[in-house]
PDB file of all heavy atoms in Angstrom:
ATOM      1  N   VAL A  14      21.370  18.055  52.345  1.00  0.00           N
ATOM      2  CA  VAL A  14      20.519  19.247  52.210  1.00  0.00           C
ATOM      3  C   VAL A  14      20.502  19.714  50.755  1.00  0.00           C
ATOM      4  O   VAL A  14      19.430  20.077  50.231  1.00  0.00           O
ATOM      5  CB  VAL A  14      21.043  20.395  53.114  1.00  0.00           C
ATOM      6  CG1 VAL A  14      20.299  21.695  52.824  1.00  0.00           C
ATOM      7  CG2 VAL A  14      20.853  20.012  54.592  1.00  0.00           C
ATOM      8  N   LEU A  34      13.236  24.525  25.047  1.00  0.00           N
ATOM      9  CA  LEU A  34      14.011  23.783  24.070  1.00  0.00           C
ATOM     10  C   LEU A  34      13.148  23.186  22.948  1.00  0.00           C
ATOM     11  O   LEU A  34      13.482  23.309  21.768  1.00  0.00           O
ATOM     12  CB  LEU A  34      14.792  22.675  24.763  1.00  0.00           C
ATOM     13  CG  LEU A  34      15.970  23.094  25.638  1.00  0.00           C
ATOM     14  CD1 LEU A  34      16.570  21.895  26.375  1.00  0.00           C
ATOM     15  CD2 LEU A  34      17.023  23.796  24.827  1.00  0.00           C
ATOM     16  N   GLY A  43      10.324  25.088  11.255  1.00  0.00           N
ATOM     17  CA  GLY A  43       9.256  25.769  10.543  1.00  0.00           C
ATOM     18  C   GLY A  43       7.865  25.374  11.038  1.00  0.00           C
ATOM     19  O   GLY A  43       6.883  25.580  10.333  1.00  0.00           O
ATOM     20  N   LEU A  52       5.718  18.305  36.080  1.00  0.00           N
ATOM     21  CA  LEU A  52       6.619  17.300  36.657  1.00  0.00           C
ATOM     22  C   LEU A  52       6.431  17.315  38.183  1.00  0.00           C
ATOM     23  O   LEU A  52       6.298  18.388  38.807  1.00  0.00           O
ATOM     24  CB  LEU A  52       8.057  17.616  36.325  1.00  0.00           C
ATOM     25  CG  LEU A  52       9.122  16.589  36.719  1.00  0.00           C
ATOM     26  CD1 LEU A  52       8.927  15.281  35.963  1.00  0.00           C
ATOM     27  CD2 LEU A  52      10.537  17.155  36.464  1.00  0.00           C
ATOM     28  N   PRO A 104      -0.882  23.430   7.472  1.00  0.00           N
ATOM     29  CA  PRO A 104       0.443  24.084   7.474  1.00  0.00           C
ATOM     30  C   PRO A 104       1.584  23.150   7.852  1.00  0.00           C
ATOM     31  O   PRO A 104       2.640  23.230   7.274  1.00  0.00           O
ATOM     32  CB  PRO A 104       0.269  25.175   8.526  1.00  0.00           C
ATOM     33  CG  PRO A 104      -1.205  25.465   8.577  1.00  0.00           C
ATOM     34  CD  PRO A 104      -1.880  24.153   8.273  1.00  0.00           C
ATOM     35  N   LEU A 121      -0.771  16.607  -6.179  1.00  0.00           N
ATOM     36  CA  LEU A 121      -1.130  15.780  -5.032  1.00  0.00           C
ATOM     37  C   LEU A 121      -2.165  16.488  -4.147  1.00  0.00           C
ATOM     38  O   LEU A 121      -1.981  17.590  -3.732  1.00  0.00           O
ATOM     39  CB  LEU A 121       0.126  15.456  -4.217  1.00  0.00           C
ATOM     40  CG  LEU A 121      -0.097  14.673  -2.901  1.00  0.00           C
ATOM     41  CD1 LEU A 121      -0.657  13.287  -3.204  1.00  0.00           C
ATOM     42  CD2 LEU A 121       1.214  14.571  -2.130  1.00  0.00           C
ATOM     43  N   ILE A 150      -6.125   4.732  10.790  1.00  0.00           N
ATOM     44  CA  ILE A 150      -6.269   5.680   9.669  1.00  0.00           C
ATOM     45  C   ILE A 150      -7.672   5.493   9.124  1.00  0.00           C
ATOM     46  O   ILE A 150      -8.093   4.350   8.825  1.00  0.00           O
ATOM     47  CB  ILE A 150      -5.226   5.409   8.579  1.00  0.00           C
ATOM     48  CG1 ILE A 150      -3.784   5.527   9.168  1.00  0.00           C
ATOM     49  CG2 ILE A 150      -5.391   6.356   7.390  1.00  0.00           C
ATOM     50  CD1 ILE A 150      -2.716   5.094   8.212  1.00  0.00           C
ATOM     51  N   ASP A 180      13.606  -5.430  21.673  1.00  0.00           N
ATOM     52  CA  ASP A 180      13.700  -5.166  20.248  1.00  0.00           C
ATOM     53  C   ASP A 180      12.958  -6.170  19.383  1.00  0.00           C
ATOM     54  O   ASP A 180      13.049  -6.138  18.157  1.00  0.00           O
ATOM     55  CB  ASP A 180      15.179  -5.118  19.801  1.00  0.00           C
ATOM     56  CG  ASP A 180      15.904  -6.453  20.082  1.00  0.00           C
ATOM     57  OD1 ASP A 180      15.293  -7.330  20.725  1.00  0.00           O
ATOM     58  OD2 ASP A 180      17.071  -6.599  19.664  1.00  0.00           O
ATOM     59  N   GLY A 198      -7.429   5.421 -15.021  1.00  0.00           N
ATOM     60  CA  GLY A 198      -8.659   5.088 -15.703  1.00  0.00           C
ATOM     61  C   GLY A 198      -9.130   3.671 -15.506  1.00  0.00           C
ATOM     62  O   GLY A 198     -10.216   3.333 -16.003  1.00  0.00           O
ATOM     63  N   SER A 207      -7.095  -8.764   3.745  1.00  0.00           N
ATOM     64  CA  SER A 207      -6.500  -9.200   5.002  1.00  0.00           C
ATOM     65  C   SER A 207      -5.007  -9.289   4.789  1.00  0.00           C
ATOM     66  O   SER A 207      -4.533 -10.042   3.922  1.00  0.00           O
ATOM     67  CB  SER A 207      -7.088 -10.562   5.400  1.00  0.00           C
ATOM     68  OG  SER A 207      -6.482 -11.032   6.567  1.00  0.00           O
ATOM     69  N   CYS A 225     -15.346  -3.830 -13.113  1.00  0.00           N
ATOM     70  CA  CYS A 225     -16.049  -3.838 -14.411  1.00  0.00           C
ATOM     71  C   CYS A 225     -17.284  -4.751 -14.389  1.00  0.00           C
ATOM     72  O   CYS A 225     -17.479  -5.637 -15.218  1.00  0.00           O
ATOM     73  CB  CYS A 225     -15.072  -4.310 -15.501  1.00  0.00           C
ATOM     74  SG  CYS A 225     -13.680  -3.208 -15.747  1.00  0.00           S
ATOM     75  N   ALA A 239      11.654  -4.211  -0.316  1.00  0.00           N
ATOM     76  CA  ALA A 239      12.995  -3.795  -0.712  1.00  0.00           C
ATOM     77  C   ALA A 239      13.130  -3.755  -2.248  1.00  0.00           C
ATOM     78  O   ALA A 239      13.836  -2.913  -2.805  1.00  0.00           O
ATOM     79  CB  ALA A 239      14.029  -4.732  -0.106  1.00  0.00           C
ATOM     80  N   LEU A 333     -12.397 -10.200 -36.127  1.00  0.00           N
ATOM     81  CA  LEU A 333     -12.582  -9.298 -34.996  1.00  0.00           C
ATOM     82  C   LEU A 333     -13.368  -8.025 -35.371  1.00  0.00           C
ATOM     83  O   LEU A 333     -13.809  -7.308 -34.489  1.00  0.00           O
ATOM     84  CB  LEU A 333     -11.216  -8.900 -34.388  1.00  0.00           C
ATOM     85  CG  LEU A 333     -10.416 -10.044 -33.769  1.00  0.00           C
ATOM     86  CD1 LEU A 333      -9.068  -9.508 -33.223  1.00  0.00           C
ATOM     87  CD2 LEU A 333     -11.204 -10.748 -32.680  1.00  0.00           C
ATOM     88  N   GLN A 384       9.295 -13.226 -22.715  1.00  0.00           N
ATOM     89  CA  GLN A 384      10.276 -12.386 -23.348  1.00  0.00           C
ATOM     90  C   GLN A 384       9.579 -11.399 -24.300  1.00  0.00           C
ATOM     91  O   GLN A 384       9.949 -10.219 -24.374  1.00  0.00           O
ATOM     92  CB  GLN A 384      11.308 -13.209 -24.109  1.00  0.00           C
ATOM     93  CG  GLN A 384      12.401 -12.388 -24.742  1.00  0.00           C
ATOM     94  CD  GLN A 384      13.443 -13.221 -25.448  1.00  0.00           C
ATOM     95  OE1 GLN A 384      13.446 -14.462 -25.308  1.00  0.00           O
ATOM     96  NE2 GLN A 384      14.324 -12.595 -26.194  1.00  0.00           N
TER      97      GLN A 384
END
Side-chain angles (χ1 to χ4, degrees):
V14 171
L34 288 175
L52 187 66
L121 176 63
I150 301 171
D180 60 352
S207 177
C225 298
L333 296 180
Q384 183 177 350

